[in-house]
Amino acid sequence: MEEKVSNRKSQIKKIWFWLSFVCFTLLLFLANEAVGFMRDDKWYATNLVTGEPLKNLRDIWEGQVWHFFHWGGRSVTHFILQTVILCGSVCADVINTLMTLGLGFLMYKMSEAKRPYWILGSLFLLIGVNYNVLVSMMWEAGCVNYVYSTVWIFFFVFLYLRELEGEEKKLPLANLWILPLGLMTGWSNENMGPAAFVMALGITVFRFLFEKKKPKIWMLEGILTSLLGSLLVILAPGNFERSALITYDSLWDKLHDRIYEMFHASFNFLFLGFFILLVSTCLYVGVYKQTLKKWQIAMFLMGVMAHGAFLLSPTYPDRATFGVLCICVLLSVSMLEKIYEYCEKKIWLHVAGGILLARVCYILLQIIIYAEVFYPKDAISGIL
């Protein structure tokens, strides 16, 4: 009898999970659909050299060569961005939705959570604590530069975290596919890519010096290719041309702006993410006396590096906090899953989860209803 009741409860939970997953996916797609190509998308919908509408991959290649030398080094993400725009708005909405769901699944796997509900938990937190969901996750240029790139950056990092935790499973043909993956990881954006390279190097050195484990060939290949990609994104001639457009009257003005941008990002854009992570860590370590795992400490350090790297940047826009926010969410989920397991009075966690769910629905519905008012779809959405 008890077994039947248990099986019935399990089936009900599965039904609720899939029902919630489908409803969330539909809302996410509708939110993406509500935000048409806008702002930088209009420029990237053209051959950057001739200004003519994109016709084929040759136009994209020609434009990205110009882009590398005259505007910025994110060649991988912007090549993908232009390709997605060339495919049209419906295709872009579908891919954006799938990539966002993929990021949630990847964070769930990295967090070592046991229940699949934490796929939704990861996605709900990512949207619920995000300062600007529309620009970082729905706007095409923002989604490709941050959501897409975080997927392959996290996957790259995940491979090294597995080694840090002593994973024995071999990765088939890793010596081959790690080469493009490492290059894409470094050649994505100016803070998360280089931070992933430093993470991979640090883990490899740590294992060699303190655990006396020789690095695997694919690990060395990943380090070298991610270093190459990081150098390409940072040292691209276009970055220096673009930086030259920003001038300061004095060194003090420059220093003041850097400090202000970091302060604004930390205590405004990233505040909710930092707050959730702080509460989770205090409960996990302070109340339930759990010890942080090696991979969690490594991710904390990666977050500090990725956030601190913007001290070198003249601007720190809200969308650029996305990668650091993902690290905060990943770490929070890894601890909240255990906190929920150990907590006797789960009512407070259910209440917090209900508030988070309501906030996520509110954010997505606001985008669906009002995106057209603030960001009206123009001719470019109909053309592509």
Side-chain angles (χ1 to χ4, degrees):
M1 184 67 179
E2 290 182 1
E3 186 177 348
K4 288 184 178 180
V5 172
S6 177
N7 289 336
R8 188 177 179 182
K9 286 183 178 179
S10 178
Q11 290 176 350
I12 292 173
K13 286 181 179 179
K14 287 181 180 179
I15 292 171
W16 272 111
F17 168 76
W18 284 110
L19 183 62
S20 302
F21 185 82
V22 170
C23 290
F24 172 78
T25 301
L26 178 62
L27 279 177
L28 184 63
F29 174 79
L30 291 175
N32 273 286
E33 195 275 336
V35 181
F37 294 139
M38 62 182 190
R39 295 165 60 169
D40 291 4
D41 299 339
K42 301 175 184 178
W43 184 43
Y44 287 113
T46 67
N47 181 315
L48 304 182
V49 177
T50 66
E52 296 294 321
L54 291 173
K55 297 182 180 66
N56 48 48
L57 292 178
R58 185 176 179 179
D59 284 344
I60 297 174
W61 175 265
E62 184 179 356
Q64 283 308 310
V65 171
W66 178 91
H67 193 279
F68 182 80
F69 286 99
H70 298 284
W71 192 246
R74 299 182 195 175
S75 302
V76 171
T77 49
H78 285 122
F79 187 92
I80 294 173
L81 169 63
Q82 290 197 284
T83 303
V84 172
I85 291 176
L86 180 63
C87 291
S89 58
V90 175
C91 182
D93 297 334
V94 171
I95 297 173
N96 291 356
T97 302
L98 292 176
M99 291 298 284
T100 303
L101 294 176
L103 179 58
F105 178 77
L106 185 55
M107 289 195 292
Y108 155 74
K109 292 297 290 184
M110 293 176 71
S111 71
E112 298 182 337
K114 297 176 182 177
R115 298 175 179 84
Y117 312 111
W118 288 101
I119 300 174
L120 288 175
S122 300
L123 291 165
F124 289 169
L125 275 174
L126 185 57
I127 293 173
V129 302
N130 195 329
Y131 181 86
N132 195 337
V133 174
L134 188 151
V135 170
S136 64
M137 299 181 71
M138 311 296 169
W139 173 38
E140 197 58 40
C143 190
V144 175
N145 270 289
Y146 299 106
V147 176
Y148 288 31
S149 66
T150 303
V151 171
W152 61 70
I153 288 171
F154 267 20
F155 181 64
F156 175 83
V157 168
F158 184 35
L159 300 178
Y160 287 85
L161 293 179
R162 290 168 78 252
E163 297 298 321
L164 184 62
E165 291 297 325
E167 178 60 58
E168 297 297 331
K169 286 185 179 180
K170 292 184 178 181
L171 299 170
L173 302 177
N175 293 354
L176 296 179
W177 52 258
I178 195 66
L179 297 172
L181 177 61
L183 187 64
M184 288 177 65
T185 295
W187 205 352
S188 297
N189 57 57
E190 294 83 354
N191 68 324
M192 287 292 288
F197 153 69
V198 175
M199 163 81 84
L201 177 62
I203 288 174
T204 304
V205 171
F206 175 85
R207 291 175 77 253
F208 180 72
L209 293 180
F210 296 98
E211 298 180 350
K212 308 304 178 184
K213 295 180 180 179
K214 293 176 64 175
K216 298 175 182 178
I217 299 298
W218 69 261
M219 297 177 71
L220 298 177
E221 291 177 342
I223 291 170
L224 292 175
T225 51
S226 62
L227 171 60
L228 175 60
S230 298
L231 292 175
L232 287 169
V233 78
I234 293 172
L235 301 179
N239 286 333
F240 299 98
E241 283 196 24
R242 191 175 181 182
S243 297
L245 300 175
I246 303 174
T247 58
Y248 297 95
D249 294 331
S250 66
L251 179 61
W252 167 249
D253 288 338
K254 183 176 182 179
L255 182 62
H256 175 271
D257 277 7
R258 299 289 172 87
I259 294 174
Y260 173 78
E261 290 282 353
M262 287 296 297
F263 185 88
H264 193 46
S266 301
F267 296 99
N268 194 1
F269 304 156
L270 285 167
F271 175 76
L272 285 176
F274 283 163
F275 178 75
I276 295 295
L277 179 57
L278 177 63
V279 171
S280 301
T281 306
C282 288
L283 289 173
Y284 186 76
V285 177
V287 177
Y288 294 103
K289 309 300 180 184
Q290 299 299 302
T291 302
L292 291 174
K293 295 183 178 180
K294 287 183 288 186
W295 77 263
Q296 291 173 315
I297 295 173
M299 288 303 294
F300 267 107
L301 293 175
M302 181 177 172
V304 172
M305 285 187 291
H307 184 43
F310 271 97
L311 277 170
L312 304 176
S313 174
T315 59
Y316 197 170
D318 53 12
R319 61 186 179 274
T321 61
F322 185 82
V324 180
L325 185 67
C326 287
I327 294 175
C328 292
V329 170
L330 166 62
L331 287 168
S332 297
V333 168
S334 72
M335 291 183 277
L336 286 171
E337 197 260 351
K338 296 297 181 184
I339 291 169
Y340 184 82
E341 182 181 333
Y342 299 141
C343 181
E344 295 182 0
K345 296 182 178 179
K346 292 181 171 53
I347 182 64
W348 300 110
L349 294 175
H350 290 158
V351 170
I355 293 172
L356 176 64
L357 175 60
R359 176 172 170 78
V360 170
C361 291
Y362 173 78
I363 290 171
L364 293 178
L365 288 173
Q366 284 284 94
I367 293 173
I368 293 168
I369 296 169
Y370 296 112
E372 179 69 13
V373 176
F374 297 105
Y375 299 100
K377 295 180 181 179
D378 49 29
I380 195 172
S381 295
I383 291 171
L384 298 174

